[in-house]
Amino acid sequence: MVCIQGRTGMARNKHPEETVEKILAVSAKLFMEKGYEHTTLQDIIDNLGGLTKGAIYHHFKSKEDILDRINDRYYENLEWFSDPAKLPGRNGLEDPGLTGAEKLQKMFRASLENSDQTDLFVLAPNMLKNPKLMSILLESMIGEVLPNYMEPVLREAVADGSIRTDYPEELG
């Protein structure tokens, strides 16, 4: 991290994005290890290697703001959620040669290949100790991922016969 002296004599971070990433990484690790509720801002500060409370508050309003940003970052890294054309393979989900079931398989593979998703799976047993974190992730999944990404592909799979069910909504 490169700092320069401002007019007031205080050191100023020349690379704030590195500071944000460090805060998010340390916080995510602590939230998963100790639980969101049992992690204090002081715990985060103590694990930041010299960064101060002021550095945290410069970038985040609160501990909950940090958690929200961790959640946002997780979904940002799943590029195909925002742009299905980026799904690995010929033309992503727009490939007319794929059945709905094959598109779902591609979506799951892409999700499993995402390093943030892998980290989440490894830490999944700790989620029961993290109700706040689990509720935020579930809320995003239920409110965003299922209706906007999974449900349309599931409907397509039922329509093309690649998935057979009498309960397409429940399947989602």
Side-chain angles (χ1 to χ4, degrees), residues 7 16-18 40 46 51 64 67 102 111 115 117 119 122-123 125 130 165 167 169:
R7 281 187 237 200
E17 64 281 353
E18 290 176 11
T40 65
D46 291 345
L51 288 179
E64 187 160 350
L67 180 61
E102 290 168 334
S111 179
S115 63
Q117 180 80 23
D119 293 345
V122 168
L123 296 169
N130 292 286
T165 181
Y167 307 100
E169 301 241 343

Side-chain angles (χ1 to χ4, degrees), residues 5-161:
Q5 292 292 322
R7 281 187 237 200
T8 61
M10 292 180 61
R12 192 174 51 151
N13 185 357
K14 213 173 165 183
H15 302 285
E17 64 281 353
E18 290 176 11
T19 301
V20 168
E21 284 304 311
K22 186 173 186 176
I23 294 168
L24 292 173
V26 165
S27 299
K29 181 178 182 287
L30 289 171
F31 292 163
M32 293 306 286
E33 288 175 358
K34 297 179 70 169
Y36 173 81
E37 291 84 0
H38 299 292
T39 300
T40 65
L41 277 175
Q42 191 61 51
D43 293 330
I44 295 168
I45 293 164
D46 291 345
N47 285 275
L48 285 174
L51 288 179
T52 65
K53 186 182 284 190
I56 291 176
Y57 281 116
H58 178 76
H59 297 286
F60 300 97
K61 295 176 191 161
S62 63
K63 184 173 78 165
E64 187 160 350
D65 190 28
I66 294 170
L67 180 61
D68 288 342
R69 183 63 186 107
I70 290 167
N71 187 51
D72 292 345
R73 185 176 75 167
Y74 169 74
Y75 285 106
E76 285 170 6
N77 289 332
L78 295 178
E79 289 181 334
W80 56 267
F81 277 148
S82 59
D83 185 0
K86 292 182 179 179
L87 189 64
R90 290 193 308 173
N91 294 314
L93 296 179
E94 305 306 316
D95 187 341
L98 295 178
T99 66
E102 290 168 334
K103 290 177 183 180
L104 282 171
Q105 288 173 341
K106 287 182 88 168
M107 290 171 75
F108 286 123
R109 268 192 230 105
S111 179
L112 291 172
E113 290 169 2
N114 177 280
S115 63
D116 287 333
Q117 180 80 23
T118 303
D119 293 345
L120 194 61
F121 285 147
V122 168
L123 296 169
N126 292 336
M127 285 295 223
L128 294 175
K129 299 176 194 168
N130 292 286
K132 178 78 170 181
L133 183 57
M134 186 163 57
S135 69
I136 287 176
L137 290 173
L138 284 173
E139 185 179 305
S140 290
M141 185 65 75
I142 292 167
E144 173 111 7
V145 176
L146 288 175
N148 297 320
Y149 304 102
M150 299 297 289
E151 190 176 327
V153 179
L154 282 168
R155 289 187 184 285
E156 184 180 335
V158 170
D160 70 22

